[in-house]
Every structure is written in C-alpha cells, then in structure tokens.
Amino acid sequence: MSVDDPKRAVGETAADLVQSGMIVGLGTGTTAVWLVRALATRHLDIRCVPTSQATAVLARELGLALTDLDDVREIDLTIDGADEIGPDLALIKGGGAALLREKLVWEASRRCVCIADASKVVQTLGAFPLPIEVVAFGHTTTLRRITGGLADCGILTAPRLRQKDGAVVITDSGNLIYDASCGAILDPVSVEAALKSITGVVEHGLFLGLTKEALIGTRLGVERLGPRDFKDLSNG
Ligand code: 5RP
C-alpha cells in the first residue's frame, strides 16, 4: 500500500457525496487533490469554490467549473483536509497556508466534510504547529502579542515565521504565517479567543465546531467519524 492510497480512497469516497446542482467548496492539500481529481472524472453539473490558488489551478486544468465565494449565497458542501483531527472533530488546518480562505469557505458552507488519512487523528491537538496568519505590517510586534497571548493560555512557545525553500511564505491573501509549536492545546477555545483578540492576527488554524463529519483513510478502508465517536486511528 502506498502512502497515497488512504488519501486517494477518502478523496474518492468524498466525491460520492457530491451531486449535480451543488455548489462545492474545494479544499487544499495533497488529500484534497484526490478529491478534485475524482470529481473531475464524474462530469457533474457543479460549480466549485476553491480554497487556494493551487486548488483553483488544478480544478481549472481538470475542467471543473469555478465560481467566486462572493457569487454564491451559500455553499452546499465543502470537502477539505486537515493537519490534525482531535476529539469533537476539532481541527488544526493551515499546513498548506490556505487557512484563511479555507475558513471563509467552511463558514459559508451548509455541510463540511473533513478528509484525511489516519495519521491525522490525535487524542490532543497541538503536536502539529498551529499556523497563525498575520498581516506583514508590524508582524514582529504582532508576534510578541501572540507569544504573550499563548503564554496566558499556558502555552510557552516561540512561533516561527514560515519559510519554504529559503523564502518567506506569502499567503494567497498576501499575509505571513507564524507556526506555533504548542505541544498540547488543552483548551482550544481559550487559544482561539486569545488569538482572535490580537490586532494583526488575520486568522489561525484552529477549526472548532465547523464539521460534524470526517472520512478517515485507514489500511482497512475508509472510516466515518462523527464528533461523538472519536476513535484512536493513529496507527492507521
Ligand atoms: C491547507 C490545509 C490542508 O487541508 C492540510 O494541510 C492537510 O493537507 P494534506 O492533505 O496535504 O495533508 O489545511 O491549508
């Protein structure tokens, strides 16, 4: 079994949820790529709202019809990956730097389905560094406030400015990302409130209460998870 097989399986299973006539939010990342590929083979009459430039480029190449978030009243179904899936389907997202658009699309959706392989399922959020998107202006000042806000939540960390291939990462919306290695986020609601209160923080990667469904690719097939039936799937 290749490492891509569980991602491909959840992408294809999730594509089965999409029906003609729907407005569909398309996630970002390596798992969402399988969803986009599967959808493109089905020739459905759908319009898609991509959560990143990367997803838009792929979807367009594969012939999916795209629309803008501002041109739709509501999105019927959004399907997207995650970096960590904790109890109650609380998520960390943003490993692919698309957290801001992802959250805008998720919050505009009637139904959101998270797709991931089993390695993403955790007992406690926080081993994956929490992405925090900030405006570039004054970002080191904002960083000090982020560090203080997290310390007030009992999290001592020195968030790192995200870089890739030696260059600072700029998001699709022109912002920067700091990744905060939190270790364990025992009270995600407090962390969310602390980060949201800081001017200069545009968004963070905690997705709390935004989905009731996850499809998890395991060695044995695709498992469905609801908020109440958390299972330890970390061994795949
Ligand atoms: C992008 C995201 C992705 O959904 C997350 O990083 C998961 O990606 P992958 O499917 O490649 O593991 O939040 O901002």
Side-chain angles (χ1 to χ4, degrees):
M1 178 187 249
S2 104
V3 286
D4 274 342
D5 287 346
K7 297 183 183 191
R8 180 182 193 145
V10 285
E12 290 178 351
T13 302
D16 291 340
L17 302 173
V18 178
Q19 295 171 358
S20 278
M22 283 184 167
I23 308 286
V24 182
L26 299 178
T28 293
T30 54
T31 317
V33 162
W34 289 109
L35 164 78
V36 175
R37 287 186 182 156
L39 277 179
T41 64
R42 311 220 169 170
H43 306 293
L44 297 167
D45 178 17
I46 55 175
R47 285 187 294 148
C48 302
V49 180
T51 52
S52 62
Q53 285 297 342
T55 296
V57 167
L58 176 67
R60 204 176 284 118
E61 267 174 21
L62 295 177
L64 292 172
L66 301 186
T67 188
D68 195 87
L69 181 55
D70 288 325
D71 291 335
V72 299
R73 198 176 168 76
E74 191 178 48
I75 295 171
D76 296 298
L77 170 63
T78 285
I79 302 167
D80 194 0
D83 299 299
E84 280 188 345
I85 303 173
D88 295 326
L89 298 186
L91 310 176
I92 288 182
K93 286 185 51 55
L99 62 151
L100 173 59
R101 291 192 185 190
E102 288 171 339
K103 201 174 275 187
L104 285 163
V105 168
W106 281 52
E107 289 184 351
S109 303
R110 274 198 291 131
R111 179 183 181 193
C112 297
V113 176
C114 180
I115 53 174
D117 63 83
S119 69
K120 305 294 183 63
V121 180
V122 298
Q123 301 275 7
T124 307
L125 295 177
F128 189 91
L130 178 65
I132 303 165
E133 184 161 346
V134 302
V135 293
F137 180 82
H139 67 94
T140 53
T141 303
T142 304
L143 171 63
R144 283 195 287 277
R145 298 193 61 210
I146 290 171
T147 306
L150 290 173
D152 290 345
C153 296
I155 296 171
L156 301 179
T157 179
R160 296 172 71 99
L161 184 63
R162 191 179 296 184
Q163 302 197 19
K164 192 175 176 190
D165 303 329
V168 171
V169 169
I170 310 288
T171 69
D172 284 349
S173 300
N175 300 312
L176 308 177
I177 292 187
Y178 279 97
D179 292 302
S181 294
C182 298
I185 302 176
L186 300 176
D187 185 356
V189 173
S190 297
V191 171
E192 174 175 62
L195 293 173
K196 271 291 182 184
S197 72
I198 298 170
T199 305
V201 170
V202 181
E203 199 42 82
H204 56 79
L206 284 170
F207 281 48
L208 307 181
L210 291 180
T211 182
K212 296 184 173 61
E213 309 165 70
L215 296 173
I216 309 297
T218 75
R219 279 176 295 180
L220 302 175
V222 174
E223 290 252 7
R224 286 168 194 273
L225 282 190
R228 299 276 167 252
D229 44 38
F230 177 78
K231 297 175 199 160
D232 184 3
L233 296 171
S234 51
N235 290 324

